Amino acid sequence: MIGAPGRATLTAGLCAIALVSGSNAIAATLQVEIDGVEPGGGPVRVALCQGGLSEPFCTRGDEAPASGGRALFTFRDLPPGAYAVAAFQDANGNGRLDRTGLGLPLEPYGFSGTVARRARPDFPDAAFALQEPGAAVRIRLARALPRR
């Protein structure tokens, strides 16, 4: 028979095991492939968004050097849900998507989902469902305006 202190230790240990094994069951991996990367055009930046496409909703991101016309990213340990990916090639390395005075992007950019090349999409247009064990998304970068 286990005494009260031993029972508490056993219960804590079982809870820890349940949390660890349970966390694996609800984690997903997202592979993001970016095509249309311009040679010598600076790093590619991606943002993973939930609930919207503005900065407060895009809390995870990554950067990779441009090479061979594409870039690959992996986001791990994501809870299943609705996500969108926004990407751009940072041609001048300033960490932001440069725009004209009218707001048109000057650097190659793209979004996940069924997004047309018009204004910034709504989250539902760019969103996809991420379920465990994971998914793969491909985004093609394009320019809104010809290269200057």
Side-chain angles (χ1 to χ4, degrees):
M1 185 159 173
I2 299 174
R7 204 173 313 128
T9 303
L10 177 63
T11 302
L14 290 174
C15 287
I17 290 170
L19 285 173
V20 170
S21 63
S23 67
N24 290 338
I26 59 169
T29 298
L30 176 63
Q31 297 279 337
V32 179
E33 181 178 349
I34 308 293
D35 291 326
V37 176
E38 296 178 353
V44 176
R45 297 179 184 266
V46 297
L48 184 60
C49 310
Q50 269 194 301
L53 292 174
S54 60
E55 214 170 303
F57 297 103
C58 302
T59 57
R60 289 183 73 170
D62 203 357
E63 174 184 321
S67 66
R70 65 184 213 152
L72 298 171
F73 299 89
T74 302
F75 293 94
R76 298 183 195 292
D77 300 322
L78 299 171
Y83 290 88
V85 177
F88 75 99
Q89 187 171 4
D90 192 5
N92 59 6
N94 67 354
R96 55 193 315 154
L97 178 62
D98 295 325
R99 300 175 182 273
T100 67
L102 297 173
L104 295 172
L106 291 169
E107 297 169 306
Y109 72 100
F111 295 94
S112 57
T114 57
V115 176
R117 296 276 176 224
R118 54 185 200 309
R120 181 185 199 146
D122 291 330
F123 180 77
D125 294 332
F128 57 91
L130 179 64
Q131 302 296 324
E132 62 173 309
V137 174
R138 176 181 258 161
I139 298 172
R140 179 134 186 95
L141 299 182
R143 287 183 171 271
L145 299 170
R147 193 174 205 171
R148 292 183 178 184

